[in-house]
Amino acid sequence: LSALAFDPNYALFKVTEDSLMYPNPSSKFVHGGDMSMKLFEFLGRILGKALYEGITIQPQFAHLFLSFLRGDHSYLHLLTDLSTIDKQLYNNLMFLKTYEGDAADLCLSFTVANDDFGVTEQNLIPNGADIEVTNGNKRRYIYLVAKHHVSDRIKEQSDAFTRGLWEVIDRSWLRLFNEPELQMLISGASD
């Protein structure tokens, strides 16, 4: 069951370049919104039962998702976490951050493009399509883009997963461990 459910081809999870898993933002389009959330909640219970019984399972999770599982996902590691799931976007944002020219020349606005079975543009702030990125607001733009990809797009899936997990394992127990220690509890020691 765990091999199938955590298989990226099932479209509930995506895999980073380092083969670490995190919720697929497009899962609700593949499985339907309600069904997708029920599947995540069920998988959270499966992981909770495995942890409770001391059974290791194969998934290696990305740091950002392990933070959600512990119940203390914060925005302190947004750029670091973004670099693990989308190196190209991270590099582009770092270019913008250090760009010495006029950021307005880059013709950016406070929007992001989501590719969920067709590209859609989403505002990062109200009327974001009408607000250009300038040298004065580029740090806010960088923060909002990173937050969108690292947190906002997977929040619904992560919340459903943790709901199921925390039904079996008390959240305070998971907070006893940092992210690498929690990963070791889930999958055992890596080779």
Side-chain angles (χ1 to χ4, degrees), residues 46-64:
I46 295 296
L47 177 61
K49 183 164 175 43
L51 284 170
Y52 186 79
E53 295 183 4
I55 299 169
T56 57
I57 57 177
Q58 80 279 4
Q60 297 284 318
F61 293 121
H63 178 274
L64 66 107

mmCIF file of all heavy atoms in Angstrom, residues 46-64:
data_model
loop_
_atom_site.group_PDB
_atom_site.id
_atom_site.type_symbol
_atom_site.label_atom_id
_atom_site.label_comp_id
_atom_site.label_asym_id
_atom_site.label_seq_id
_atom_site.Cartn_x
_atom_site.Cartn_y
_atom_site.Cartn_z
ATOM 1 N N ILE A 46 -1.919 6.212 7.922
ATOM 2 C CA ILE A 46 -1.030 5.069 7.643
ATOM 3 C C ILE A 46 0.364 5.352 8.207
ATOM 4 O O ILE A 46 0.971 4.507 8.862
ATOM 5 C CB ILE A 46 -0.947 4.787 6.123
ATOM 6 C CG1 ILE A 46 -2.301 4.329 5.581
ATOM 7 C CG2 ILE A 46 0.153 3.788 5.795
ATOM 8 C CD1 ILE A 46 -2.788 3.014 6.146
ATOM 9 N N LEU A 47 0.879 6.564 7.946
ATOM 10 C CA LEU A 47 2.194 6.917 8.476
ATOM 11 C C LEU A 47 2.163 6.921 10.001
ATOM 12 O O LEU A 47 3.085 6.419 10.648
ATOM 13 C CB LEU A 47 2.645 8.281 7.949
ATOM 14 C CG LEU A 47 3.981 8.777 8.509
ATOM 15 C CD1 LEU A 47 5.120 7.813 8.157
ATOM 16 C CD2 LEU A 47 4.296 10.170 8.002
ATOM 17 N N GLY A 48 1.097 7.462 10.583
ATOM 18 C CA GLY A 48 0.977 7.471 12.041
ATOM 19 C C GLY A 48 0.983 6.078 12.623
ATOM 20 O O GLY A 48 1.665 5.809 13.624
ATOM 21 N N LYS A 49 0.255 5.165 11.991
ATOM 22 C CA LYS A 49 0.220 3.778 12.474
ATOM 23 C C LYS A 49 1.595 3.129 12.349
ATOM 24 O O LYS A 49 2.045 2.420 13.262
ATOM 25 C CB LYS A 49 -0.823 2.976 11.705
ATOM 26 C CG LYS A 49 -0.980 1.531 12.186
ATOM 27 C CD LYS A 49 -2.261 0.932 11.676
ATOM 28 C CE LYS A 49 -2.448 -0.523 12.001
ATOM 29 N NZ LYS A 49 -2.105 -0.965 13.318
ATOM 30 N N ALA A 50 2.277 3.394 11.244
ATOM 31 C CA ALA A 50 3.625 2.839 11.056
ATOM 32 C C ALA A 50 4.574 3.382 12.129
ATOM 33 O O ALA A 50 5.345 2.622 12.730
ATOM 34 C CB ALA A 50 4.141 3.166 9.661
ATOM 35 N N LEU A 51 4.516 4.668 12.401
ATOM 36 C CA LEU A 51 5.368 5.257 13.436
ATOM 37 C C LEU A 51 5.027 4.671 14.807
ATOM 38 O O LEU A 51 5.925 4.320 15.580
ATOM 39 C CB LEU A 51 5.198 6.779 13.472
ATOM 40 C CG LEU A 51 5.863 7.575 12.370
ATOM 41 C CD1 LEU A 51 5.403 9.026 12.401
ATOM 42 C CD2 LEU A 51 7.380 7.496 12.491
ATOM 43 N N TYR A 52 3.738 4.553 15.099
ATOM 44 C CA TYR A 52 3.301 4.041 16.395
ATOM 45 C C TYR A 52 3.781 2.612 16.623
ATOM 46 O O TYR A 52 4.170 2.246 17.716
ATOM 47 C CB TYR A 52 1.772 4.109 16.478
ATOM 48 C CG TYR A 52 1.233 3.741 17.835
ATOM 49 C CD1 TYR A 52 1.263 4.661 18.872
ATOM 50 C CD2 TYR A 52 0.700 2.478 18.074
ATOM 51 C CE1 TYR A 52 0.775 4.328 20.123
ATOM 52 C CE2 TYR A 52 0.209 2.144 19.323
ATOM 53 C CZ TYR A 52 0.253 3.074 20.340
ATOM 54 O OH TYR A 52 -0.222 2.742 21.585
ATOM 55 N N GLU A 53 3.769 1.816 15.564
ATOM 56 C CA GLU A 53 4.172 0.410 15.683
ATOM 57 C C GLU A 53 5.650 0.180 15.393
ATOM 58 O O GLU A 53 6.112 -0.962 15.399
ATOM 59 C CB GLU A 53 3.301 -0.446 14.760
ATOM 60 C CG GLU A 53 1.850 -0.438 15.201
ATOM 61 C CD GLU A 53 0.951 -1.335 14.371
ATOM 62 O OE1 GLU A 53 1.455 -2.041 13.476
ATOM 63 O OE2 GLU A 53 -0.262 -1.329 14.636
ATOM 64 N N GLY A 54 6.399 1.252 15.115
ATOM 65 C CA GLY A 54 7.831 1.117 14.867
ATOM 66 C C GLY A 54 8.157 0.477 13.525
ATOM 67 O O GLY A 54 9.216 -0.128 13.365
ATOM 68 N N ILE A 55 7.262 0.607 12.568
ATOM 69 C CA ILE A 55 7.471 0.045 11.239
ATOM 70 C C ILE A 55 8.018 1.145 10.340
ATOM 71 O O ILE A 55 7.433 2.236 10.260
ATOM 72 C CB ILE A 55 6.142 -0.491 10.654
ATOM 73 C CG1 ILE A 55 5.581 -1.595 11.542
ATOM 74 C CG2 ILE A 55 6.326 -0.966 9.217
ATOM 75 C CD1 ILE A 55 4.150 -1.992 11.205
ATOM 76 N N THR A 56 9.137 0.884 9.681
ATOM 77 C CA THR A 56 9.677 1.888 8.763
ATOM 78 C C THR A 56 9.068 1.682 7.380
ATOM 79 O O THR A 56 8.778 0.564 6.970
ATOM 80 C CB THR A 56 11.213 1.797 8.673
ATOM 81 O OG1 THR A 56 11.592 0.494 8.263
ATOM 82 C CG2 THR A 56 11.860 2.127 10.007
ATOM 83 N N ILE A 57 8.858 2.798 6.687
ATOM 84 C CA ILE A 57 8.360 2.766 5.317
ATOM 85 C C ILE A 57 9.316 3.582 4.452
ATOM 86 O O ILE A 57 10.111 4.349 4.968
ATOM 87 C CB ILE A 57 6.904 3.275 5.223
ATOM 88 C CG1 ILE A 57 6.780 4.692 5.789
ATOM 89 C CG2 ILE A 57 5.959 2.335 5.951
ATOM 90 C CD1 ILE A 57 5.392 5.282 5.659
ATOM 91 N N GLN A 58 9.246 3.401 3.148
ATOM 92 C CA GLN A 58 10.284 3.918 2.258
ATOM 93 C C GLN A 58 10.317 5.411 1.987
ATOM 94 O O GLN A 58 11.359 5.921 1.642
ATOM 95 C CB GLN A 58 10.263 3.164 0.922
ATOM 96 C CG GLN A 58 9.202 3.600 -0.065
ATOM 97 C CD GLN A 58 7.826 3.008 0.188
ATOM 98 O OE1 GLN A 58 7.600 2.309 1.146
ATOM 99 N NE2 GLN A 58 6.888 3.338 -0.674
ATOM 100 N N PRO A 59 9.255 6.178 2.065
ATOM 101 C CA PRO A 59 9.348 7.563 1.586
ATOM 102 C C PRO A 59 10.399 8.390 2.326
ATOM 103 O O PRO A 59 10.500 8.345 3.546
ATOM 104 C CB PRO A 59 7.972 8.145 1.851
ATOM 105 C CG PRO A 59 7.076 7.017 2.105
ATOM 106 C CD PRO A 59 7.922 5.888 2.584
ATOM 107 N N GLN A 60 11.162 9.125 1.540
ATOM 108 C CA GLN A 60 12.086 10.124 2.066
ATOM 109 C C GLN A 60 11.435 11.469 1.768
ATOM 110 O O GLN A 60 11.247 11.826 0.608
ATOM 111 C CB GLN A 60 13.446 10.028 1.359
ATOM 112 C CG GLN A 60 14.176 8.715 1.577
ATOM 113 C CD GLN A 60 14.799 8.664 2.962
ATOM 114 O OE1 GLN A 60 15.360 9.630 3.434
ATOM 115 N NE2 GLN A 60 14.679 7.509 3.603
ATOM 116 N N PHE A 61 11.074 12.212 2.805
ATOM 117 C CA PHE A 61 10.335 13.454 2.621
ATOM 118 C C PHE A 61 11.262 14.667 2.589
ATOM 119 O O PHE A 61 12.304 14.689 3.242
ATOM 120 C CB PHE A 61 9.304 13.636 3.735
ATOM 121 C CG PHE A 61 8.183 12.631 3.701
ATOM 122 C CD1 PHE A 61 7.952 11.802 4.774
ATOM 123 C CD2 PHE A 61 7.360 12.532 2.589
ATOM 124 C CE1 PHE A 61 6.917 10.884 4.753
ATOM 125 C CE2 PHE A 61 6.318 11.607 2.557
ATOM 126 C CZ PHE A 61 6.099 10.783 3.642
ATOM 127 N N ALA A 62 10.845 15.680 1.850
ATOM 128 C CA ALA A 62 11.566 16.952 1.796
ATOM 129 C C ALA A 62 11.439 17.665 3.141
ATOM 130 O O ALA A 62 10.438 17.504 3.849
ATOM 131 C CB ALA A 62 11.004 17.827 0.680
ATOM 132 N N HIS A 63 12.449 18.461 3.473
ATOM 133 C CA HIS A 63 12.479 19.204 4.733
ATOM 134 C C HIS A 63 11.190 19.997 4.952
ATOM 135 O O HIS A 63 10.615 19.991 6.043
ATOM 136 C CB HIS A 63 13.694 20.143 4.740
ATOM 137 C CG HIS A 63 13.797 20.985 5.962
ATOM 138 N ND1 HIS A 63 13.152 22.203 6.086
ATOM 139 C CD2 HIS A 63 14.456 20.785 7.126
ATOM 140 C CE1 HIS A 63 13.418 22.716 7.271
ATOM 141 N NE2 HIS A 63 14.212 21.879 7.924
ATOM 142 N N LEU A 64 10.712 20.651 3.914
ATOM 143 C CA LEU A 64 9.520 21.489 4.066
ATOM 144 C C LEU A 64 8.309 20.668 4.490
ATOM 145 O O LEU A 64 7.507 21.106 5.308
ATOM 146 C CB LEU A 64 9.214 22.266 2.784
ATOM 147 C CG LEU A 64 8.799 21.468 1.550
ATOM 148 C CD1 LEU A 64 7.319 21.662 1.285
ATOM 149 C CD2 LEU A 64 9.590 21.938 0.364
#
